Amino acid sequence: MGLFDGKKGLVFGIANDRSIAAAIARELHREGAEMGFTHLPDADPNRPKSENRLRKVVGDWNPQLVMPCDVQDESSLDAVFSAARETFGSIDFLVHSIAYAPLEDLQKPVHEVSRSGFSLSMEVSVFSLIDLVNRVKPLMSEGGSILTMTYLGGEIVIPGYNLMGLCKAALESSVKYLAHELGQSRIRVIAVSAGPLRTLAASAVGDFQKMTKLYEAFSPMRRNVEFDEVGKTGMFLLSDMSSGITGENVHVDCGYHVMGGPPLDADE
Ligand code: NAP
């Protein structure tokens, strides 16, 4: 018996097998979940690169839906939710694992960010959660759980995280307001704040190697987190095992976020 036997959900944000959403969906599949997945629309339908990359990850999990979806495009969102209603009827969980900022804005100091880059980053990285929640709510008439992904740079300054830090702060605040608004409908909304993991999105942010070394030297567990640890926590938070948790920002970072200074044994 799996924790997700008979449960159905949608997963947004698998680019490849190193995506955090893939680590979470792997655990959900192991526990018996039925899932639908989305990928960014392919420019050339004859060479469906994004779709193929996604199918490579989820192909063996008996996906109930594989559809293009750009969270900036109302019509692709309409199509996904109408197909989800037709395929699943009701839905038990949703994974939002999406973020984007234009590289030129991400690499600038925050006070030099462009108006358009700011709006675009907030729309894709924050409004997309609000929009998905609004769209999935009618499909969660029996209650449900919604998970999004954040990073410590939304709470404190992580040099190099820049504009994405502002997006994560807004995302974390959205989680609290959404949890408040949907709690009585028995819909839970939770964020996982993961330590640095080498993914496509992470390659755009700061000096990745430097960050992992910091986690190895400073975190209480003196190591960085693993993909499957984030996957398992994500699965737990979406499951009935965490039925009393909502509005929370759960850190899966080997404890790094509790440290206010270097441990006494840390090298210079
Ligand atoms: P990832 O594999 O690159 O996932 C990001 C996903 O967002 C990709 O599937 C990407 O699609 C999708 N996306 C971007 N713009 C989109 C749009 N307009 N419409 C629909 N989908 C769009 O990287 P990841 O690290 O797993 O990122 C997932 C989440 O975890 C992000 O919110 C990230 O900020 C967060 N996070 C990451 C880390 C880390 O260290 N990796 C730590 C904490 C939190 P394409 O790839 O096809 O463009």
Side-chain angles (χ1 to χ4, degrees), residues 13 15 19-20 40 53 70-71 97 99 149-150 168 196-197 199-201:
S19 293
I20 293 177
L40 267 185
R53 274 189 315 181
D70 179 345
V71 293
S97 189
M149 297 304 309
T150 189
K168 293 309 190 191
L197 290 163
T199 63
L200 276 181

Side-chain angles (χ1 to χ4, degrees), residues 75 96-97 106 124 130 229 244 255:
S75 62
H96 169 273
S97 189
L106 196 55
V124 175
I130 295 169
E229 293 175 310

Side-chain angles (χ1 to χ4, degrees), residues 148-259:
T148 189
M149 297 304 309
T150 189
Y151 180 60
L152 187 60
E155 298 170 71
I156 54 176
V157 174
I158 306 282
Y161 204 59
N162 305 350
L163 172 58
M164 193 47 69
L166 279 63
C167 292
K168 293 309 190 191
L171 183 76
E172 290 167 20
S173 183
S174 307
V175 165
K176 293 177 196 158
Y177 278 89
L178 293 166
H180 158 65
E181 289 169 5
L182 301 183
Q184 285 175 301
S185 306
R186 292 187 293 137
I187 299 173
R188 301 184 293 120
V189 188
I190 303 166
V192 160
S193 184
L197 290 163
R198 199 178 285 280
T199 63
L200 276 181
S203 62
V205 181
D207 184 340
F208 187 83
Q209 215 169 1
K210 204 159 144 193
M211 282 316 289
T212 50
K213 282 209 175 112
L214 268 182
Y215 277 67
E216 282 159 19
F218 281 23
S219 74
M221 294 169 79
R222 301 292 194 279
R223 67 173 178 84
N224 197 10
V225 74
E226 305 279 349
F227 274 91
D228 70 320
E229 293 175 310
V230 178
K232 283 178 185 147
T233 305
M235 182 276 290
F236 158 74
L237 291 169
L238 289 165
S239 80
D240 292 341
M241 298 286 281
S242 63
S243 57
I245 300 176
T246 194
E248 197 61 75
N249 182 9
V250 178
H251 295 83
V252 188
D253 64 352
C254 297
Y256 183 87
H257 68 285
V258 305
M259 301 299 289

Side-chain angles (χ1 to χ4, degrees), residues 94 129 133 136 140 144-148 182 187-190 238:
L94 183 145
L129 173 70
V133 166
V136 82
M140 287 186 168
S145 44
I146 295 166
L147 191 72
T148 189
L182 301 183
I187 299 173
R188 301 184 293 120
V189 188
I190 303 166
L238 289 165

Side-chain angles (χ1 to χ4, degrees), residues 15-47:
N16 57 33
D17 64 346
R18 303 287 289 176
S19 293
I20 293 177
I24 297 169
R26 197 167 289 122
E27 300 300 329
L28 291 166
H29 167 68
R30 209 167 272 155
E31 293 295 333
E34 285 178 41
M35 288 174 278
F37 303 93
T38 67
H39 57 84
L40 267 185
D42 285 293
D44 179 355
N46 296 318
R47 295 180 59 222

